[in-house]
Amino acid sequence: MIPWNGGACKRYGFFQEEDLKSKDKLITCLPGKIPPIRPTDIVSFLREKHISEIVFSAALDESRFQNIGDYVLVNTFEELEGGKDAQMCLSVNGCPALAIGPLFLPNFLQGKNSVYSMWEEDRTCFQWLDGQAQGSVLYVSFGSIAIKSEKQLHELALGLEACGYPFLWVVRSDIAEGKSLDLPEGFKDRTKDRALIVSWTNQLKVLSHPSIGGFLTHSGWNSSLEAISMGIPMIGWPYFGDQFLNCRFVKDVWNVGLDFEGVDVDEFKLVTKDIVESTIRSIMEGSIRMKLCENVVRLKKAAHKTVMEGGTSYTNLNTFVEDMQKIAKSRV
């Protein structure tokens, strides 16, 4: 059940369909200093209309077991989430929450790539990236699951063509609603001097490359955290799950990215090539880009600091390990 509309939190219920399309019905009574969130920010499989819905019921059952744990470990960092306030918010059920992320970052900073891919990686893109100007390339990837209609992907392709920027686009074999994508006629020839299309690549290595200037993403949490840790501003295009909330925080709370208006309330909305082009231009050039880059570089520095000795995530993880050792010894 979700509290909504009003600080007193006296009304609990499931969102109706009309609520999900309203930006006026804000959830304002969450603990901690969490900004008001909209119904469309809620994890998509928690938007069910009745408790009997199987996915909602499963998530609810899982949440009931959280208060019997010793800790909740979260792959984020306090400086991103608002410090100890957010940590206290997650601990309201009596089970302490600790931010211990970004989990991938310590290994990355030591030159280790511990990310294992679900798909075969195309490594040729790095030679291509080496030949591009610093901060000039838009990286486009929707992760391993998100799909779009072929019509929408054609509009995206035409927007990428019109923007004039070099781009690296990950086009999975199933991205067009489970099928391979037939690109617009002549698209590859017209963009061959400034574009590279691959089926999959090492995203973390791409985002850390100096030629990358922006990231068009499905707003998955791993992708969002990786982009922030590498100092790359984002354009969010969420698909399902927590991606809507991630996208909104990237844009409106952390101010490190943009999105396409309306896709959170209408999954069938067509984002036209003109909107794609104008949004890409905003993130790759001008005053908007300058502000986004300033914010994301600040968070990048905080992310790197937090996993170092003495940082908050480093300390939190040590606290967890030490407490688990004490508990284990007490039970021997």
Side-chain angles (χ1 to χ4, degrees), residues 26-51:
L26 297 177
I27 304 167
T28 60
C29 48
L30 295 171
K33 295 181 180 179
I34 294 179
I37 64 175
R38 303 189 295 249
T40 51
D41 296 330
I42 295 296
V43 175
S44 59
F45 51 79
L46 295 182
R47 300 179 191 173
E48 306 294 354
K49 300 184 182 69
H50 195 274
I51 195 170

Short mmCIF file of all heavy atoms in Angstrom, two decimals, residues 26-51:
data_model
loop_
_atom_site.label_atom_id
_atom_site.label_comp_id
_atom_site.label_asym_id
_atom_site.label_seq_id
_atom_site.Cartn_x
_atom_site.Cartn_y
_atom_site.Cartn_z
N LEU A 26 1.13 13.89 -5.83
CA LEU A 26 2.48 13.61 -5.37
C LEU A 26 2.48 12.78 -4.09
O LEU A 26 1.60 12.92 -3.24
CB LEU A 26 3.23 14.92 -5.11
CG LEU A 26 3.45 15.83 -6.32
CD1 LEU A 26 4.14 17.12 -5.89
CD2 LEU A 26 4.27 15.12 -7.38
N ILE A 27 3.48 11.92 -3.98
CA ILE A 27 3.71 11.17 -2.75
C ILE A 27 4.68 12.01 -1.92
O ILE A 27 5.84 12.17 -2.27
CB ILE A 27 4.31 9.79 -3.06
CG1 ILE A 27 3.41 9.02 -4.02
CG2 ILE A 27 4.52 8.99 -1.78
CD1 ILE A 27 4.05 7.80 -4.60
N THR A 28 4.15 12.57 -0.83
CA THR A 28 4.92 13.59 -0.10
C THR A 28 5.32 13.16 1.30
O THR A 28 5.95 13.94 2.01
CB THR A 28 4.09 14.88 0.01
OG1 THR A 28 2.88 14.59 0.71
CG2 THR A 28 3.77 15.43 -1.37
N CYS A 29 4.95 11.98 1.72
CA CYS A 29 5.16 11.64 3.13
C CYS A 29 6.11 10.47 3.34
O CYS A 29 5.97 9.71 4.28
CB CYS A 29 3.82 11.35 3.79
SG CYS A 29 2.79 10.21 2.85
N LEU A 30 7.06 10.32 2.46
CA LEU A 30 8.08 9.30 2.67
C LEU A 30 9.07 9.76 3.74
O LEU A 30 9.33 10.97 3.86
CB LEU A 30 8.82 9.01 1.36
CG LEU A 30 7.96 8.40 0.25
CD1 LEU A 30 8.74 8.36 -1.05
CD2 LEU A 30 7.49 7.01 0.63
N PRO A 31 9.62 8.86 4.53
CA PRO A 31 10.55 9.27 5.59
C PRO A 31 11.86 9.79 5.02
O PRO A 31 12.23 9.48 3.88
CB PRO A 31 10.77 7.97 6.37
CG PRO A 31 10.45 6.88 5.41
CD PRO A 31 9.38 7.41 4.51
N GLY A 32 12.57 10.58 5.83
CA GLY A 32 13.81 11.16 5.36
C GLY A 32 13.53 12.36 4.47
O GLY A 32 12.39 12.70 4.18
N LYS A 33 14.56 13.00 4.00
CA LYS A 33 14.40 14.18 3.15
C LYS A 33 14.35 13.78 1.68
O LYS A 33 15.13 14.24 0.85
CB LYS A 33 15.54 15.17 3.41
CG LYS A 33 15.53 15.75 4.82
CD LYS A 33 16.66 16.74 5.02
CE LYS A 33 16.63 17.31 6.43
NZ LYS A 33 17.76 18.27 6.66
N ILE A 34 13.40 12.90 1.37
CA ILE A 34 13.23 12.45 -0.01
C ILE A 34 12.28 13.41 -0.71
O ILE A 34 11.20 13.72 -0.19
CB ILE A 34 12.67 11.02 -0.05
CG1 ILE A 34 13.71 10.05 0.52
CG2 ILE A 34 12.30 10.61 -1.46
CD1 ILE A 34 13.26 8.62 0.56
N PRO A 35 12.65 13.93 -1.87
CA PRO A 35 11.75 14.84 -2.59
C PRO A 35 10.44 14.16 -2.93
O PRO A 35 10.38 12.93 -3.04
CB PRO A 35 12.54 15.17 -3.87
CG PRO A 35 13.95 14.81 -3.57
CD PRO A 35 13.90 13.68 -2.59
N PRO A 36 9.36 14.92 -3.07
CA PRO A 36 8.08 14.32 -3.49
C PRO A 36 8.26 13.54 -4.79
O PRO A 36 8.99 13.97 -5.68
CB PRO A 36 7.18 15.54 -3.71
CG PRO A 36 7.77 16.62 -2.86
CD PRO A 36 9.25 16.38 -2.89
N ILE A 37 7.62 12.38 -4.87
CA ILE A 37 7.69 11.60 -6.10
C ILE A 37 6.30 11.43 -6.68
O ILE A 37 5.29 11.49 -5.98
CB ILE A 37 8.38 10.23 -5.88
CG1 ILE A 37 7.57 9.35 -4.93
CG2 ILE A 37 9.80 10.42 -5.37
CD1 ILE A 37 8.14 7.95 -4.79
N ARG A 38 6.25 11.23 -7.99
CA ARG A 38 4.99 11.10 -8.71
C ARG A 38 4.60 9.63 -8.84
O ARG A 38 5.45 8.74 -8.74
CB ARG A 38 5.12 11.72 -10.10
CG ARG A 38 5.55 13.18 -10.10
CD ARG A 38 5.45 13.78 -11.49
NE ARG A 38 6.37 13.18 -12.42
CZ ARG A 38 7.42 13.78 -12.94
NH1 ARG A 38 7.72 15.01 -12.57
NH2 ARG A 38 8.20 13.17 -13.81
N PRO A 39 3.31 9.37 -9.09
CA PRO A 39 2.90 7.97 -9.31
C PRO A 39 3.71 7.29 -10.41
O PRO A 39 4.01 6.10 -10.32
CB PRO A 39 1.43 8.11 -9.70
CG PRO A 39 0.97 9.35 -9.03
CD PRO A 39 2.16 10.28 -9.07
N THR A 40 4.08 8.05 -11.44
CA THR A 40 4.85 7.47 -12.55
C THR A 40 6.28 7.13 -12.15
O THR A 40 6.99 6.47 -12.90
CB THR A 40 4.87 8.43 -13.75
OG1 THR A 40 5.30 9.73 -13.30
CG2 THR A 40 3.50 8.54 -14.39
N ASP A 41 6.73 7.63 -10.99
CA ASP A 41 8.07 7.29 -10.51
C ASP A 41 8.11 5.92 -9.84
O ASP A 41 9.19 5.34 -9.67
CB ASP A 41 8.56 8.33 -9.49
CG ASP A 41 8.74 9.71 -10.10
OD1 ASP A 41 9.04 9.78 -11.30
OD2 ASP A 41 8.57 10.70 -9.37
N ILE A 42 6.95 5.43 -9.43
CA ILE A 42 6.89 4.17 -8.70
C ILE A 42 7.36 3.04 -9.61
O ILE A 42 7.06 3.00 -10.80
CB ILE A 42 5.45 3.88 -8.22
CG1 ILE A 42 5.02 4.94 -7.20
CG2 ILE A 42 5.33 2.49 -7.63
CD1 ILE A 42 5.81 4.93 -5.93
N VAL A 43 8.11 2.11 -9.02
CA VAL A 43 8.55 0.92 -9.76
C VAL A 43 7.36 0.33 -10.51
O VAL A 43 6.30 0.12 -9.93
CB VAL A 43 9.16 -0.11 -8.80
CG1 VAL A 43 9.50 -1.39 -9.54
CG2 VAL A 43 10.41 0.46 -8.13
N SER A 44 7.53 0.07 -11.79
CA SER A 44 6.38 -0.25 -12.65
C SER A 44 5.58 -1.45 -12.17
O SER A 44 4.35 -1.46 -12.26
CB SER A 44 6.86 -0.47 -14.10
OG SER A 44 7.79 -1.54 -14.17
N PHE A 45 6.23 -2.49 -11.63
CA PHE A 45 5.47 -3.66 -11.22
C PHE A 45 4.83 -3.49 -9.84
O PHE A 45 4.21 -4.39 -9.33
CB PHE A 45 6.32 -4.93 -11.26
CG PHE A 45 7.64 -4.85 -10.54
CD1 PHE A 45 7.70 -4.97 -9.17
CD2 PHE A 45 8.81 -4.68 -11.25
CE1 PHE A 45 8.91 -4.92 -8.51
CE2 PHE A 45 10.02 -4.62 -10.60
CZ PHE A 45 10.08 -4.75 -9.22
N LEU A 46 4.98 -2.28 -9.24
CA LEU A 46 4.26 -1.97 -8.01
C LEU A 46 3.08 -1.04 -8.27
O LEU A 46 2.46 -0.53 -7.35
CB LEU A 46 5.20 -1.31 -6.98
CG LEU A 46 6.34 -2.18 -6.46
CD1 LEU A 46 7.16 -1.43 -5.43
CD2 LEU A 46 5.82 -3.48 -5.86
N ARG A 47 2.77 -0.82 -9.53
CA ARG A 47 1.66 0.07 -9.88
C ARG A 47 0.35 -0.68 -10.06
O ARG A 47 -0.59 -0.16 -10.64
CB ARG A 47 1.98 0.82 -11.18
CG ARG A 47 3.21 1.70 -11.11
CD ARG A 47 3.42 2.36 -12.45
NE ARG A 47 4.71 3.01 -12.54
CZ ARG A 47 5.19 3.55 -13.65
NH1 ARG A 47 4.47 3.51 -14.76
NH2 ARG A 47 6.38 4.11 -13.65
N GLU A 48 0.29 -1.92 -9.60
CA GLU A 48 -0.91 -2.72 -9.80
C GLU A 48 -2.09 -2.11 -9.05
O GLU A 48 -1.92 -1.39 -8.07
CB GLU A 48 -0.67 -4.15 -9.31
CG GLU A 48 0.54 -4.83 -9.92
CD GLU A 48 0.40 -5.07 -11.41
OE1 GLU A 48 -0.68 -4.82 -11.96
OE2 GLU A 48 1.38 -5.52 -12.02
N LYS A 49 -3.28 -2.42 -9.52
CA LYS A 49 -4.48 -1.81 -8.95
C LYS A 49 -5.04 -2.58 -7.77
O LYS A 49 -5.90 -2.09 -7.05
CB LYS A 49 -5.55 -1.67 -10.04
CG LYS A 49 -5.13 -0.81 -11.23
CD LYS A 49 -6.30 -0.65 -12.19
CE LYS A 49 -5.91 0.17 -13.41
NZ LYS A 49 -4.97 -0.55 -14.26
N HIS A 50 -4.59 -3.82 -7.57
CA HIS A 50 -5.15 -4.62 -6.49
C HIS A 50 -4.07 -5.51 -5.89
O HIS A 50 -3.18 -5.99 -6.60
CB HIS A 50 -6.33 -5.47 -7.00
CG HIS A 50 -7.16 -6.02 -5.90
ND1 HIS A 50 -6.86 -7.20 -5.27
CD2 HIS A 50 -8.27 -5.53 -5.29
CE1 HIS A 50 -7.76 -7.44 -4.33
NE2 HIS A 50 -8.63 -6.44 -4.32
N ILE A 51 -4.19 -5.75 -4.59
CA ILE A 51 -3.17 -6.53 -3.88
C ILE A 51 -3.07 -7.96 -4.40
O ILE A 51 -2.06 -8.63 -4.20
CB ILE A 51 -3.48 -6.51 -2.36
CG1 ILE A 51 -2.24 -6.98 -1.59
CG2 ILE A 51 -4.72 -7.35 -2.05
CD1 ILE A 51 -2.37 -6.78 -0.10
#
